[in-house]
Amino acid sequence: MYYSVGNLNNFDTTNLIKQIERKSGKQAAKHFSNCIMLVVNKAENSNYFNELNNGKLCWSRIAVEHDGTPTLFCGSFSTKTFYISTIKGNQIKRVVKQLVND
């Protein structure tokens, strides 16, 4: 499942969790909620996800596995920077990709 996030201020997490529950079950929805809380806690205690508040980002997307594990994708075409955040267990791994002009 893929979900586009247009604006984090208007992002409806509750609706997304309900969609996951309908499509993949309560266990997947609970796992997704736990993963998102891990992301929120990490963001509150560091500048790890500051790119999400950057006005230069032009898109963000969440891919959700059937077990509820999310992968966050965000990027900016103007800065040619892309962020991919994956969650395994209680760890968040973020990869930053910078595109270069040839």
Side-chain angles (χ1 to χ4, degrees):
M1 294 182 278
Y2 288 98
Y3 301 93
S4 291
V5 181
N7 182 336
L8 286 178
N9 294 328
N10 297 330
F11 180 60
D12 187 354
T13 309
T14 304
N15 184 38
L16 177 55
I17 291 170
K18 287 178 183 177
Q19 287 181 44
I20 293 168
E21 185 175 341
R22 280 193 303 272
K23 292 181 181 179
S24 299
K26 288 185 183 219
Q27 198 67 7
K30 182 179 178 183
H31 181 65
F32 177 82
S33 296
N34 291 338
C35 290
I36 293 301
M37 287 309 299
L38 183 66
V39 169
V40 167
N41 288 334
K42 180 82 168 184
E44 283 181 346
N45 298 310
S46 70
N47 62 356
Y48 199 71
F49 287 100
N50 275 354
E51 70 271 5
L52 296 175
N53 291 323
N54 184 343
K56 294 180 182 175
L57 277 180
C58 63
W59 59 271
S60 55
R61 206 158 192 179
I62 299 173
V64 182
E65 300 286 335
H66 287 290
D67 70 351
T69 302
T71 301
L72 296 107
F73 301 89
C74 9
S76 168
F77 293 116
S78 62
T79 63
K80 297 182 181 176
T81 306
F82 301 91
Y83 303 88
I84 303 167
S85 301
T86 55
I87 299 169
K88 268 232 189 237
N90 285 336
Q91 299 295 318
I92 301 171
K93 179 184 175 189
R94 180 175 70 168
V95 176
V96 180
K97 302 280 185 181
Q98 187 74 43
L99 298 178
V100 294
N101 291 333
D102 289 335

